[in-house]
Amino acid sequence: MSPSPLSIPVMMSVVALILVTLMLAQSSSSSPTLTITPRILKKSGDTVLIEWSNVSSPSNLDWLGIYSPPDSSHDCFIGYKFLNASPSWSSGSGSISLPLTNHRSNYSFRIFRWTQSPVDLTRLDDDHNPLPGTAHLLSQSEPLGFAAGRGPEQVHLAFTDVESEMRVMFVAEDAEERYIRYGEREEEMDEVAVARVERYERDDMCDAPANTSAGWRDPGWVFDGVIKCLKKGVRYYYQVGSDSKGWSKIHSFVSRNEDSDETVAFLFGDMGTATPYSTFLRTQDESISTVKWILRDIKALGDKPAFVSHIGDISYARGYSWLWDQFFAQIEPVASKVAYHVCIGNHEYDWPLQPWRPDWAKTVYRTDGGGECGVPYSLKFHMPGNSSEPTGTRAPATRNLYYSFNNGVVHFVYISTETNFFPGSSQYNFIKHDLESVDRNKTPFVVVQGHRPMYTTGNENRDAPMREKMLEHLEPLFLKNKVNLVLWGHVHRYERFCPLNNFTCGSMGFSGEKWEAFPIHVVIGMAGQDWQPIWAPRPDHPNDPIYPQPQRSMYRGGEFGYTRLVATKEKLVLSYVGNHDGEVHDMVEILASGQVLNNGGGGGNMGSVTAGSGAGVEVAVSKFSWYVKGASLLILGAFMGYVLGYVSRTRKANAPGKTWTLVKTEDT
């Protein structure tokens, strides 16, 4: 029986439908896939495994975009990794593991195909490399979140104006009331302090990228509580949070003791933070080593109190909000154990309409703050004192500008190089009154800290007008009040000077001659930022790589690291610790009289500083002549420091997954 005329078209339609279905199924099975494991992370810093497959004709420019929140537009990623970071990428399949910081929002991941032909030269990263293109999306993942009830994060401590107090700050996802519970025993944290809460908004940001979709992310709620009536020099245990939203892990600190005859501090500038991905800005991989070695030293102190001093250029977020989260997550292991003190730098504050911008400072104050105008810095930290300056916008006033405190036998002063320090200004009046009021019987040593240096032999001319004004207005105060030590950041190297008065070295009295106590200036901006300036060349060889070391410069080093201060009633010792080995590479000793010892140079063999468990920090100084060692090791130390800095930068530039060649630019 032959089919009816109507059945033939029907049969053909069915066959066509089957063929289309098979083709779609085949196409679907070969489409790129992107999966993540697990879908829920327990806490900030946990790792996710990102896997992909079926990427046809893989290119070494194919890339993985990291997004938070998940609905961010394609070009508003927080970071990216090229798929060639996976060894098997050329097969079209691979995987990448990433530790993720909690930004109080879910994550998602997307794979893009990118070729060199549509490169957009208007979208460049911090090293002037093109940011990857987003025109061709290949696949995207399901969202990833963080488990509820994990408690607040980004815990950090600070001193208040009262010796028997400790400030505790942290971040949470909402404004619901949180607390600090604490006690002298981990199993008996019966005391409770309520934390107040604050927040800033996108409209508080002053300029791009901080107030744009690319840079702005919800910063969460900043909580600030104070533990009171602490005993002197006692270890306290604490945690932060609430029963309804969860508690943090238990941390501990040793309370301050101004009656102590010993002071220990860890000091540096310009550290920043590291990220496990590339982003719009250059991040600071060396900051990981700096935190690691300081944590080693803190643990070795046992139950001795200490604190950290970070003198400007804190996170290098520069308008990209999530880098603040990354920074606080990175320092929490240290900052939850000891007070973490800061002063403001150009990358926290500078912006085109800042209120104090005198004519001579046109080359000094530019757009280094990325539009933040000091707002995240002002709310995420709370330093002693009540210094502030209005921003002139709807943004809250800029805080934490200048303050001081005693710690054991040392009086520490913090100043702002970004706001008015001229005679008649509130800051100048504070510095003058504070230095004149120091009780040198109680605190025989005075240490002043600020971001931009008064003295440097780096080839950095942009700040020359500021250095002239600082020499004119601030140096006389330091000299008159016999400041012992002045620490600066901004230049990303270590450099120690002789005791100075207007570029002139003071006599040390080593041969019985008359001497006068002048301040020792030290540049300590070597904690993480990887752009390193060259030293100033000779005037008659401006284009040759010849770096003369003036007589006033006693030691210059190109290695990343930090400084460690240990002081007793009789002597203050400042040591420069290198990140590649955790050993001391330079040291200077200052007596309570102001006389400076072993000031003839430095090097790894000049002495050793070891943090003895339970015994504090002991200093063993070589008996051999400092002058002889300085003469023999000065050139070698400077050269090796430069080579190590170069190797570190080269390794970063050639790391797997990097497609573009980094071009270092001036970024202080």
Side-chain angles (χ1 to χ4, degrees):
M1 181 177 178
S2 60
S4 66
L6 289 177
S7 65
I8 294 175
V10 171
M11 292 175 64
M12 293 179 64
S13 297
V14 170
V15 171
L17 181 60
I18 292 173
L19 291 174
V20 169
T21 302
L22 290 172
M23 291 173 63
L24 288 174
Q26 183 178 4
S27 174
S28 175
S29 66
S30 62
S31 296
T33 61
L34 185 60
T35 60
I36 54 174
T37 309
R39 291 277 302 280
I40 300 293
L41 298 182
K42 293 181 179 179
K43 64 182 184 305
S44 187
D46 282 355
T47 297
V48 61
L49 175 65
I50 306 162
E51 299 177 284
W52 66 89
S53 60
N54 298 329
V55 174
S56 61
S57 302
S59 161
N60 63 0
L61 291 182
D62 293 340
W63 62 282
L64 173 77
I66 304 153
Y67 294 84
S68 181
D71 59 355
S72 301
S73 62
H74 286 342
D75 59 349
C76 287
F77 48 79
I78 67 169
Y80 62 91
K81 294 278 288 186
F82 288 105
L83 299 193
N84 63 15
S86 172
S88 61
W89 72 274
S90 60
S91 70
S93 300
S95 65
I96 293 175
S97 293
L98 288 176
L100 296 178
T101 298
N102 178 22
H103 300 307
R104 300 156 303 280
S105 176
N106 289 344
Y107 278 84
S108 69
F109 307 90
R110 306 169 198 173
I111 289 179
F112 294 91
R113 168 61 45 84
W114 187 40
T115 60
Q116 295 187 15
S117 56
V119 167
D120 184 356
L121 294 179
T122 66
R123 296 188 72 241
L124 306 177
D125 68 11
D126 199 36
D127 290 306
H128 305 292
N129 296 320
L131 290 166
T134 59
H136 305 292
L137 175 67
L138 299 183
S139 185
Q140 58 186 357
S141 74
E142 295 295 322
L144 175 147
F146 286 84
R150 66 193 172 276
E153 294 163 334
Q154 303 182 29
V155 179
H156 56 106
L157 305 173
F159 298 139
T160 74
D161 290 309
V162 179
E163 178 198 357
S164 60
E165 295 179 349
M166 182 68 83
R167 185 177 305 282
V168 184
M169 300 187 72
F170 52 92
V171 171
E173 68 274 10
D174 59 48
E176 184 176 304
E177 194 163 62
R178 262 72 167 195
Y179 309 90
I180 308 160
R181 58 186 184 193
Y182 62 97
E184 292 183 48
R185 300 179 61 184
E186 189 171 348
E187 63 274 15
E188 294 181 8
M189 296 186 296
D190 300 326
E191 301 294 325
V192 176
V194 178
R196 68 179 183 88
V197 64
E198 230 175 338
R199 176 182 168 85
Y200 57 92
E201 303 292 346
R202 179 170 172 171
D203 289 344
D204 292 327
M205 303 293 100
C206 301
D207 211 336
N211 60 4
T212 67
S213 297
W216 172 259
R217 296 295 186 279
D218 186 329
W221 296 81
V222 181
F223 286 81
D224 183 345
V226 176
I227 301 175
K228 301 183 178 182
C229 301
L230 299 172
K231 299 176 184 177
K232 296 182 178 182
V234 171
R235 181 170 295 280
Y236 284 86
Y237 297 87
Y238 72 99
Q239 62 181 164
V240 300
S242 66
D243 290 337
S244 62
K245 290 299 179 76
W247 293 89
S248 71
K249 64 178 288 189
I250 296 175
H251 304 281
S252 72
F253 64 86
V254 179
S255 58
R256 187 162 39 153
N257 183 4
E258 289 189 14
D259 295 336
S260 174
D261 288 337
E262 184 179 54
T263 299
V264 180
F266 306 97
L267 314 101
F268 53 84
D270 305 76
M271 185 172 76
T273 188
T275 56
Y277 47 74
S278 299
T279 186
F280 297 89
L281 299 175
R282 183 187 313 151
T283 54
Q284 296 75 42
D285 289 350
E286 273 291 332
S287 61
I288 296 173
S289 292
T290 303
V291 171
K292 178 190 74 173
W293 291 119
I294 292 175
L295 186 59
R296 171 204 63 176
D297 288 353
I298 290 172
K299 289 179 178 178
L301 286 171
D303 287 335
K304 286 179 174 283
F307 75 96
V308 164
S309 187
H310 187 162
I311 56 173
D313 286 3
I314 309 299
S315 71
Y316 283 100
R318 292 166 283 176
Y320 292 94
S321 177
W322 63 88
L323 291 177
W324 278 109
D325 291 329
Q326 195 79 23
F327 170 80
F328 279 107
Q330 183 172 320
I331 69 164
E332 186 180 73
V334 166
S336 60
K337 293 178 174 63
V338 298
Y340 198 101
H341 279 259
V342 294
C343 66
I344 198 165
N346 52 305
H347 284 299
E348 284 74 60
Y349 182 72
D350 288 7
W351 54 294
L353 298 179
Q354 65 188 82
W356 194 62
R357 198 181 180 91
D359 290 341
W360 56 265
K362 289 179 180 178
T363 63
V364 178
Y365 301 130
R366 303 194 295 185
T367 60
D368 302 335
E372 292 183 354
C373 54
V375 175
Y377 167 84
S378 297
L379 273 70
K380 288 179 176 291
F381 295 101
H382 188 168
M383 298 294 99
N386 58 0
S387 62
S388 68
E389 294 286 348
T391 59
T393 69
R394 64 154 277 169
T398 306
R399 311 173 195 167
N400 309 318
L401 295 173
Y402 44 89
Y403 60 95
S404 67
F405 57 82
N406 290 336
N407 189 277
V409 297
V410 183
H411 181 74
F412 293 91
V413 185
Y414 294 75
I415 67 175
S416 166
T417 58
E418 311 309 301
T419 55
N420 194 350
F421 55 83
F422 277 24
S425 68
S426 56
Q427 177 169 206
Y428 181 91
N429 293 339
F430 165 81
I431 297 171
K432 182 176 185 297
H433 179 265
D434 185 81
L435 292 178
E436 292 173 350
S437 303
V438 177
D439 181 354
R440 301 304 281 261
N441 292 318
K442 183 177 183 181
T443 54
F445 299 100
V446 175
V447 176
V448 174
Q449 300 163 89
H451 183 60
R452 300 182 196 245
M454 182 182 297
Y455 288 101
T456 176
T457 63
N459 191 24
E460 206 284 300
N461 297 320
R462 195 180 83 187
D463 287 347
M466 165 169 278
R467 291 196 288 270
E468 293 175 3
K469 300 299 181 182
M470 295 169 73
L471 284 163
E472 178 183 356
H473 301 302
L474 296 182
E475 187 175 53
L477 293 180
F478 299 167
L479 292 165
K480 178 181 178 182
N481 293 283
K482 299 189 181 304
V483 170
N484 301 102
L485 186 63
V486 190
L487 303 175
W488 310 103
H490 194 57
V491 175
H492 306 143
R493 296 226 181 212
Y494 172 86
E495 182 170 27
R496 175 172 57 83
F497 292 90
C498 65
L500 278 173
N501 178 2
N502 192 27
F503 290 94
T504 302
C505 292
S507 173
M508 293 295 92
F510 291 142
S511 301
E513 73 275 16
K514 184 179 179 181
W515 63 274
E516 184 176 358
F518 292 156
I520 295 280
H521 290 254
V522 188
V523 177
I524 57 172
M526 68 298 182
Q529 176 58 278
D530 67 351
W531 182 81
Q532 301 288 318
I534 63 170
W535 304 114
R538 291 199 314 232
D540 56 341
H541 289 77
N543 299 317
D544 295 331
I546 300 172
Y547 312 123
Q549 189 162 0
Q551 185 178 7
R552 64 183 179 276
S553 176
M554 309 309 299
Y555 185 95
R556 301 194 299 195
E559 183 179 351
F560 296 102
Y562 60 97
T563 60
R564 181 168 56 206
L565 181 151
V566 181
T568 65
K569 284 280 189 181
E570 295 76 31
K571 182 170 62 176
L572 181 153
V573 180
L574 185 76
S575 305
Y576 164 37
V577 182
N579 274 358
H580 88 277
D581 59 4
E583 298 295 330
V584 173
H585 293 265
D586 182 45
M587 180 193 301
V588 64
E589 297 176 302
I590 306 173
L591 300 181
S593 63
Q595 189 173 17
V596 179
L597 304 182
N598 52 280
N599 196 53
N605 295 324
M606 288 182 58
S608 63
V609 176
T610 56
S613 178
V617 178
E618 301 175 354
V619 181
V621 182
S622 170
K623 301 299 183 181
F624 193 67
S625 168
W626 292 98
Y627 284 108
V628 174
K629 289 193 175 185
S632 62
L633 295 174
L634 184 60
I635 297 176
L636 178 60
F639 175 75
M640 289 301 297
Y642 177 83
V643 169
L644 288 167
Y646 175 81
V647 169
S648 175
R649 297 195 307 276
T650 303
R651 285 179 176 173
K652 181 175 180 181
N654 294 318
K658 296 281 188 180
T659 298
W660 299 99
T661 301
L662 299 182
V663 180
K664 300 302 180 189
T665 59
E666 180 177 332
D667 185 3
T668 55

